[in-house]
Amino acid sequence: MAILDRGILGGGRNAVGTVVMTKWRGKDVIRARVTPTNPQTAAQTTQRDLFAQLTRAGSSLMDGFVRPYWRRFARSGRNATTAFNEFVRANVRVMRSDAVPGTDAGTFDAAQMLLTRGGLAPAEPTSLADDGAGATLVTWDPAGGQPDDAIAVVVAGPDGAAVDIITGLTRADGQAALGVPFADRAMYAVHVVPYRPVAGGEPKLAFHGSVRYDADAAADVVVSGASKRAAFQAARDGDAGPVPDEAGALV
């Protein structure tokens, strides 16, 4: 319902028919009434689904990964961002890339997720194997970085939420036993996350690699840390914030 202060030409509020009356900088303004559209194209639906799934995944990882490891990229000032903003933005860039193995570009894939970002050398996964007793063994290339770099193996469900985190490993170990039956490995994505603790400071991190088993293709899908980093950097808009390298420099 519209409220007319002094007749239709004397100013008012709200809408009458196809016009809207309002105030703008102290002046009475009448403008056309516009009903916003909400097109449901396939591309828009895919984009909304990706954002929704990343939002849910990020919320579940907030205390373990997002807040402690992404706040270093948060920006202050007029275009301020949060750790959560930076986590979602980086993952959108990776998952929209055609260069990253996995599902079609623009759709959510738990194996494409970035839990951390930095200049440390990745420990690239190589396979999900049977440990000989019916459990799953994840293996990775121990080359690159330092042999004593710490490794965390994160087992994630198809929604990206962590269901198990194994620590106490090093790059040189090259493998870790998972609490996942080998027959059920297609239900999970496994992230091999290297990090280097820094006394009195934040740990050095990496664009980490991940692996999952594709039951339809009957093959492992390895998403390397190198491919995630390349996809992220290709999509950077010039103000994405620095990436600390192994020496602490900003790249």
Side-chain angles (χ1 to χ4, degrees), residues 1-62:
M1 178 182 71
I3 300 173
L4 302 178
D5 297 328
R6 296 179 300 280
I8 190 68
L9 300 179
R13 288 170 287 157
N14 298 338
V16 175
T18 60
V19 299
V20 176
M21 293 170 290
T22 186
K23 291 279 189 181
W24 181 74
R25 295 185 177 180
K27 299 179 180 180
D28 297 317
V29 175
I30 297 178
R31 60 178 173 79
R33 184 175 188 177
V34 178
T35 302
T37 60
N38 184 26
Q40 298 289 331
T41 66
Q44 288 171 320
T45 299
T46 297
Q47 178 170 296
R48 289 169 182 167
D49 288 346
L50 177 59
F51 272 94
Q53 289 179 287
L54 282 172
T55 297
R56 288 192 293 269
S59 297
S60 71
L61 298 165
M62 182 64 71

Side-chain angles (χ1 to χ4, degrees), residues 164-227:
D164 194 17
I165 301 175
I166 304 165
T167 57
L169 304 165
T170 68
R171 186 185 296 272
D173 290 333
Q175 64 181 33
L178 311 179
V180 172
F182 187 65
D184 295 339
R185 66 195 185 282
M187 299 170 58
Y188 304 94
V190 181
H191 309 291
V192 179
V193 184
Y195 61 101
R196 188 178 300 163
V198 175
E202 295 186 333
K204 297 184 185 301
L205 303 170
F207 283 83
H208 62 84
S210 309
V211 59
R212 65 174 172 81
Y213 180 72
D214 184 336
D216 292 333
D220 291 333
V221 176
V222 175
V223 186
S224 70
S227 71

Side-chain angles (χ1 to χ4, degrees), residues 82-100:
T82 65
F84 187 78
N85 296 150
E86 295 300 327
F87 168 83
V88 171
R89 177 161 56 177
N91 275 280
V92 165
R93 288 174 174 171
V94 171
M95 293 188 189
R96 280 180 174 169
S97 173
D98 289 319
V100 180

Side-chain angles (χ1 to χ4, degrees), residues 112-206:
Q112 294 178 342
M113 283 188 64
L114 269 179
L115 304 185
T116 63
R117 166 188 152 198
L120 200 65
E124 300 291 21
T126 52
S127 70
L128 294 175
D130 190 331
D131 70 350
T136 303
L137 193 72
V138 62
T139 63
W140 61 85
D141 184 353
Q146 297 179 4
D148 61 350
D149 284 339
I151 295 288
V153 173
V154 181
V155 181
D159 60 353
V163 298
D164 194 17
I165 301 175
I166 304 165
T167 57
L169 304 165
T170 68
R171 186 185 296 272
D173 290 333
Q175 64 181 33
L178 311 179
V180 172
F182 187 65
D184 295 339
R185 66 195 185 282
M187 299 170 58
Y188 304 94
V190 181
H191 309 291
V192 179
V193 184
Y195 61 101
R196 188 178 300 163
V198 175
E202 295 186 333
K204 297 184 185 301
L205 303 170

